[in-house]
Amino acid sequence: QVQLVESGGGLAQAGGSLTLSCRASEEIFSINILAWYRQAPGKQRELVASISNSGRTNYGDSVKGRFAISRDSAKNTVDLQMDSLEPEDTAVYYCHGRRTAYPSQEYWGQGTQVTVSS
């Protein structure tokens, strides 16, 4: 079973930056889609960004142009570079992986807190 471990969360000022990292226990080429989700108090979990093993990326509308997702096969990590942070970015951020072969499987990390103060 794939294990995902997030790191890099913390406190930032509005306009600042943070980088989140998620390390997988398996080679990430075997995980078709890696993604970051977040969940803020009182809100549903939402997709922040995703990246396929071919390098195709998708971003949530609220973070496009500010965040960037990348994967490093040598380190088995998926990173999220967050710039121009806003208080609305405050949430628990979760790493997610999906294997699309039938039957599909998905994996979640434990989450890392990001807090942005104004």
Side-chain angles (χ1 to χ4, degrees), residues 7-25:
S7 62
L11 177 66
Q13 294 282 346
S17 298
L18 285 173
T19 301
L20 306 182
S21 183
C22 171
R23 183 176 296 278
S25 62

Side-chain angles (χ1 to χ4, degrees), residues 43-114:
K43 300 182 68 176
Q44 294 190 9
R45 188 171 298 187
E46 65 174 345
L47 175 69
V48 178
S50 67
I51 184 168
S52 72
N53 56 11
S54 67
R56 182 177 295 106
T57 59
N58 283 294
Y59 294 92
D61 290 340
S62 64
V63 307
K64 189 173 183 179
R66 300 189 297 120
F67 293 6
I69 190 170
S70 62
R71 56 195 291 159
D72 187 333
S73 59
K75 298 179 179 179
N76 291 325
T77 61
V78 57
D79 297 334
L80 184 70
Q81 176 66 46
M82 305 185 296
D83 297 323
S84 301
L85 285 164
E86 303 170 353
E88 292 76 17
D89 296 319
T90 295
V92 177
Y93 285 70
Y94 297 91
C95 184
H96 178 264
R98 177 179 292 277
R99 285 174 168 160
T100 57
Y102 183 85
S104 63
Q105 300 178 62
E106 63 179 332
Y107 313 95
W108 289 98
Q110 291 297 306
T112 185
Q113 176 71 46
V114 171

